Amino acid sequence: MGLALSLIDEDASAAGFAGATTAATMMAIVHRRYGRPDVLEHTEVDKPVVGDDDVLVRVHAAAVHPGDYFIMTGVPTVVRLAFGLRRPRNGIRGMDVAGRVEAVGRSVQGLEPGDAVFGRSSTGTLAEYTRAPADNFAPKPVNLSMEQAAAIPVSAFTALQALREIARVQPGQTVLITGASGGVGTFAVQIAKAFGAKVTGVCSTRNVDLVRWVGADHVIDYTRTDFTRTGQRYEVILDNVEAQSLSAARRALTPTGTLIPNNGKGGRWIGPLGRIVKARLRSLFTRQALRPFLSRENRDDLLALKELIEAGKVLPVIDRTYPLSQAAVALRYVGEGHTQGKVVVIV
């Protein structure tokens, strides 16, 4: 009788565990209309269903960045072409994630339930669970916490792909990075240094020490000095702020240098598209390369970032953390445009 009771208890415990992992609903941060952070709701929604090629991840942490803010507000209006004209098609915000694999589709290989992973999900990460194709995830760097790992994907993808694929940075080249204390900027300084470049970071007075700490050889305080008027020329400029016109920024480029505009703001209607078109057209009439681009997620680059991180060459900078219930506060802070590194939401 005692053995039978023990088996019944174990079966009941297993059933309870299975029920917890296959619950039909979850808590998430949702917006059903475009607007300021006040439109966000902390509410119960359906849990994602895993397809054959998908991985379901139990979210431990999710980073938020300006792209999440623009999608939430629907401004510039051009973002609605991709995310829903009248209302967002997917109302859960967030792209970056770190957590543990909860379930895998029948075609998935290389990942198993319980694995600690980081990556990107277009179904939203400000939630208890998120789902994405298996190629969107990679094993979490062993030397990072979940919160640190969540800070990596989108911003680090942008920095890595801009410097490696667009600028093709080589050892000894001179690289200037504006917005060097922000999410993309802090990664870009470290990655450029890992590639052997001589790096100059541009930031405000309060961030000078931070930009030096992440590895910049030189720091320009933009409140005191306009980098376009110093007479110094750089082989690569990654412009995360775009406070100067294209013509002004080009003054700081070598005759065959590469300028990469990387800012999502611009006008209310078309956002950065006007500047992107202008940059493309001007590239036709100069030896300088003006190369706006869009980063893309892929597992190979997650693994490349993991290698840099585990080698101690790149580390995320986290400004603030918030609980899931305060995700609206986190996005409001990001929208102000003065973060030092990344903002992370703990789920």
Side-chain angles (χ1 to χ4, degrees), residues 12 34-35 58 67 80 159 175 180 190 197 199-200 211 280 310-311 346:
Y34 293 112
R58 173 67 171 89
R80 303 189 187 199
V175 176
Q190 295 176 80
V199 181
T200 297
V211 175
R280 292 292 190 190
E310 292 182 340
I346 299 171

Side-chain angles (χ1 to χ4, degrees), residues 29-79:
I29 300 297
V30 177
H31 70 122
R32 296 180 172 87
R33 58 190 174 89
Y34 293 112
R36 301 285 183 177
D38 294 341
V39 303
L40 298 177
E41 303 174 43
H42 185 206
T43 189
E44 194 173 55
V45 298
D46 290 340
K47 185 177 174 181
V49 176
V50 182
D52 288 349
D53 299 315
D54 292 337
V55 171
L56 181 69
V57 172
R58 173 67 171 89
V59 178
H60 285 246
V64 290
H65 51 81
D68 298 309
Y69 188 85
F70 299 147
I71 297 168
M72 176 189 69
T73 60
V75 178
T77 306
V78 69
V79 305

Side-chain angles (χ1 to χ4, degrees), residues 57-108:
V57 172
R58 173 67 171 89
V59 178
H60 285 246
V64 290
H65 51 81
D68 298 309
Y69 188 85
F70 299 147
I71 297 168
M72 176 189 69
T73 60
V75 178
T77 306
V78 69
V79 305
R80 303 189 187 199
L81 296 177
F83 296 97
L85 289 176
R86 298 183 62 186
R87 62 181 63 87
R89 283 191 290 271
N90 171 37
I92 302 176
R93 290 281 53 82
M95 303 179 206
D96 295 331
V97 64
R100 290 196 178 274
V101 174
E102 184 81 3
V104 299
R106 66 182 67 186
S107 301
V108 173

Side-chain angles (χ1 to χ4, degrees), residues 172-176 198 200 218 220 226-237 247-258 286-288:
Q173 282 191 312
T174 53
V175 176
L176 180 135
K198 298 176 181 177
T200 297
H218 307 284
I220 295 175
D226 181 348
F227 76 87
T228 70
R229 297 185 179 278
T230 64
Q232 177 69 43
R233 290 197 167 196
Y234 303 89
E235 290 161 291
V236 175
I237 297 177
S247 297
R250 286 177 56 201
R251 287 200 302 264
L253 269 185
T254 60
T256 57
T258 300
T286 177
R287 290 186 299 159
Q288 293 173 327

Side-chain angles (χ1 to χ4, degrees), residues 296-343:
R296 66 189 188 283
E297 70 275 6
N298 63 82
R299 194 168 191 270
D300 287 343
D301 282 352
L302 277 174
L303 293 172
L305 290 165
K306 179 177 183 288
E307 183 176 342
L308 286 169
I309 290 162
E310 292 182 340
K313 296 180 179 179
V314 174
L315 283 175
V317 175
I318 296 179
D319 185 340
R320 301 182 184 184
T321 61
Y322 296 86
L324 182 63
S325 60
Q326 294 184 23
V329 180
L331 277 163
R332 185 175 293 110
Y333 178 58
V334 167
E336 293 170 359
H338 301 293
T339 62
Q340 294 177 307
K342 301 290 294 182
V343 173

